[in-house]
Amino acid sequence: MSSRDRATEVEGLYAEAAQWHVNAGGETIHAKRLSGRWRTFKWLTASVWLVFFLGPYLRWDGRQAVLFDIPNRQYHLFGATVLPQDFWMLSLLLLFFAILLAVVTAVVGRAWCGYFCFQTVWTDVFTWIEERLEGPPAARRRLDQAPFATRLRARLPKHLLWLVIGWFTGFSFVAWFVDAPTLWRTFFTGEAGVAAYVTVALFTAGTYVLAGFLREQTCFWLCPYARIQGVMLDPTTLVPAYDTGRGEPRGRLRRGGEAAAGQGDCIDCNQCVAVCPTGVDIRQGQQEGCITCALCIDACDQVMDKVGKARGLIRYASLDELEGRPTRPLVLRPRVWLYGGILTLALAGIVYGLASLAALDLKVLHERAPLFVRLSDGSIQNRYTLKLLNKTPEPLAVEIRVSGPPGLEVSGLERPIQAAAGVVTPALVFVRVPESALAAEQQPVVFHAEARRGDGQRLDTARESVFIAPAP
């Protein structure tokens, strides 16, 4: 591309950006709510957040199925207990979701913002309550101009419901970190921890302000994702887009329902703007305020049905499609393959980590100074530090046995090791072997750990180490 062509393209981008409308908080957006397939899909995806509210009440083996027990540094995920020593899996989990966000954005734009983001979902619920109590957008705009006493009387029920939702949001968040039935019992009697009350208060205030008042301003000014989405999209990304070639020049229908000669399919009804929760005009192109919720598609399709024209004037489409360039299938896009490979590796690591979690973990550290000691009877002795990690919620009596070269003797393991629940218990062990039984400078030894839980379940693990002797 020549410098002149590049300058022309940049000028075109500036001209397009100059037509964008970004509400900087000077007015409250009262979006029109319409039914449609994308509105239905939006409600279905928002229902995923029911897990946030109901998940803490799911039980597993007599305890909360998912519990992030921070005071005891134990994280229970159904039958698995994850301790800080296993937190390498958390890094892979964060990587997985970060790359997943990137690949979804590259393929279908800001689908997270439009359908799953908690800010979007809570705002949608709050505005739904607002419409049910205060009426359609026109009635709410008139109420904005009413005297304070009138507004207070009309809006008090709405604000009370908002605060209840905010409180329940905070309470549900805390319930992931404290046993939920216990939290219900202690919260209203003043017996819950200070952290619980402070967290619920912060979530109540935060949800009330962000979803009730700031709304789309949170996306514009507080969320970094809207700022970086531009570098994550490309001409093949599918986003809600206005077909300029079909819609322009736009113009209203004449009396009798006829369009002027040469007029495009867009009748300039502004319904796409009226339903937009961030107040942008999709006809001005993809822009920062668009969260790709596709509600404008529902609005435009309904208008096209009424005027007898084909749907799809606003639709999910790529820039390549709108400009008539050849489009490539997803499987031929290098970015998708790259992101997919990273996702697969991260997911494989998480699955491996969860599959390899054991209720009893044993680490064996060989003493380095000195590596061995020759005793008065001529035998060779090595010293080891055992570290037993008991991941169960109960203390265990762990028996250790050692196998290795012939004549091996162990001291320090005369009694079972008492391993406390959820912590690492160290033990010092000495292993002696007659020098005549040592055929090499290094020989393997295996430490076996075995314990039984209160319910009779047998736990065992093993760890291989090395026995070091002087060179023959």
Side-chain angles (χ1 to χ4, degrees):
M1 180 184 296
S2 67
S3 58
R4 178 176 297 180
D5 293 339
R6 188 177 294 108
T8 302
E9 182 179 357
V10 171
E11 290 177 2
L13 292 174
Y14 275 119
E16 179 181 330
Q19 298 178 13
W20 292 358
H21 171 66
V22 177
N23 175 26
E27 61 176 326
T28 300
I29 294 176
H30 294 294
K32 185 177 181 180
R33 303 180 74 91
L34 292 176
S35 59
R37 54 175 178 163
W38 291 108
R39 164 54 71 182
T40 301
F41 182 70
K42 188 174 174 65
W43 280 122
L44 290 174
T45 54
S47 65
V48 171
W49 283 98
L50 289 175
V51 175
F52 172 78
F53 292 102
L54 302 179
Y57 305 99
L58 182 64
R59 312 300 290 180
W60 189 276
D61 284 342
R63 68 183 180 197
Q64 192 164 310
V66 180
L67 177 64
F68 304 102
D69 189 358
I70 292 180
N72 295 318
R73 298 190 301 172
Q74 296 182 4
Y75 309 94
H76 304 292
L77 304 174
F78 295 91
T81 298
V82 182
L83 297 182
Q85 291 82 356
D86 303 309
F87 254 42
W88 59 271
M89 287 186 292
L90 177 62
S91 300
L92 290 179
L93 185 65
L94 294 176
L95 174 65
F96 175 82
F97 282 114
I99 298 300
L100 180 63
L101 183 63
V103 70
V104 169
T105 305
V107 175
V108 290
R110 293 170 64 179
W112 163 257
C113 294
Y115 302 105
F116 298 99
C117 175
F118 44 86
Q119 172 66 20
T120 301
V121 173
W122 266 249
T123 298
D124 205 25
V125 172
F126 276 35
T127 53
W128 177 82
I129 293 173
E130 186 175 64
E131 181 164 292
R132 288 293 178 273
L133 296 179
E134 298 178 5
R140 301 203 297 273
R141 293 191 189 96
R142 288 194 298 270
L143 186 59
D144 288 340
Q145 307 303 320
F148 175 77
T150 303
R151 296 200 308 271
L152 178 63
R153 185 170 54 255
R155 290 176 172 171
L156 185 59
K158 174 188 73 176
H159 287 284
L160 290 176
L161 281 175
W162 285 0
L163 285 170
V164 169
I165 293 174
W167 177 88
F168 196 53
T169 300
F171 189 88
S172 299
F173 178 80
V174 174
W176 289 93
F177 299 88
V178 181
D179 182 68
T182 303
L183 182 63
W184 277 104
R185 186 174 62 254
T186 60
F187 190 87
F188 298 102
T189 59
E191 299 175 4
V194 174
Y197 292 109
V198 171
T199 303
V200 171
L202 290 175
F203 265 84
T204 302
T207 305
Y208 177 69
V209 172
L210 293 178
F213 295 93
L214 290 180
R215 299 185 183 180
E216 80 286 343
Q217 299 303 308
T218 304
C219 306
F220 283 139
W221 310 116
L222 300 182
C223 179
Y225 183 44
R227 305 289 182 176
I228 65 175
Q229 64 160 329
V231 299
M232 304 172 75
L233 306 181
D234 60 32
T236 63
T237 303
L238 295 175
V239 292
Y242 170 68
D243 191 340
T244 305
R246 175 185 160 187
E248 300 295 324
R250 72 185 76 153
R252 297 190 177 277
L253 292 178
R254 294 176 177 176
R255 185 172 298 176
E258 295 183 359
Q263 181 177 311
D265 284 354
C266 179
I267 63 171
D268 207 17
C269 62
N270 284 324
Q271 289 301 297
C272 56
V273 182
V275 300
C276 180
T278 59
V280 302
D281 189 343
I282 193 65
R283 296 170 298 179
Q284 305 301 335
Q286 182 64 210
Q287 49 196 286
E288 179 189 349
C290 179
I291 59 173
T292 69
C293 63
L295 297 180
C296 54
I297 299 179
D298 283 340
C300 187
D301 284 348
Q302 291 183 23
V303 172
M304 291 296 103
D305 290 343
K306 291 178 181 178
V307 299
K309 296 185 178 182
R311 292 186 169 196
L313 178 59
I314 300 176
R315 63 184 185 275
Y316 264 101
S318 66
L319 182 62
D320 282 347
E321 177 188 343
L322 293 176
E323 295 186 350
R325 292 192 293 267
T327 56
R328 291 185 299 173
L330 291 178
V331 295
L332 298 181
R333 296 173 59 183
R335 185 186 296 190
V336 173
W337 279 98
L338 176 61
Y339 288 156
I342 299 175
L343 279 175
T344 302
L345 290 175
L347 187 60
I350 295 169
V351 172
Y352 168 78
L354 290 175
S356 61
L357 282 177
L360 185 64
D361 190 30
L362 172 65
K363 285 184 170 51
V364 180
L365 305 179
H366 190 284
E367 179 67 38
R368 294 182 177 273
L371 292 174
F372 61 88
V373 172
R374 188 187 300 274
L375 301 180
S376 59
D377 62 357
S379 61
I380 306 300
Q381 178 176 278
N382 284 197
R383 188 171 77 168
Y384 302 86
T385 299
L386 308 186
K387 292 192 174 182
L388 277 168
L389 176 59
N390 176 12
K391 299 181 181 179
T392 70
E394 60 187 83
L396 296 175
V398 184
E399 295 184 354
I400 305 290
R401 58 185 177 85
V402 186
S403 60
L408 180 148
E409 295 181 5
V410 181
S411 59
L413 296 177
E414 291 76 13
R415 292 189 298 273
I417 299 174
Q418 302 300 317
V423 297
V424 175
T425 303
L428 194 62
V429 177
F430 296 92
V431 177
R432 298 186 303 275
V433 178
E435 188 171 10
S436 59
L438 296 170
E441 190 175 350
Q442 295 186 7
Q443 291 188 235
V445 291
V446 180
F447 291 79
H448 304 268
E450 183 177 334
R452 288 191 179 276
R453 299 186 61 175
D455 58 3
Q457 180 186 1
R458 179 175 174 270
L459 305 176
D460 62 84
T461 186
R463 181 73 62 176
E464 183 176 320
S465 186
V466 64
F467 188 90
I468 300 178

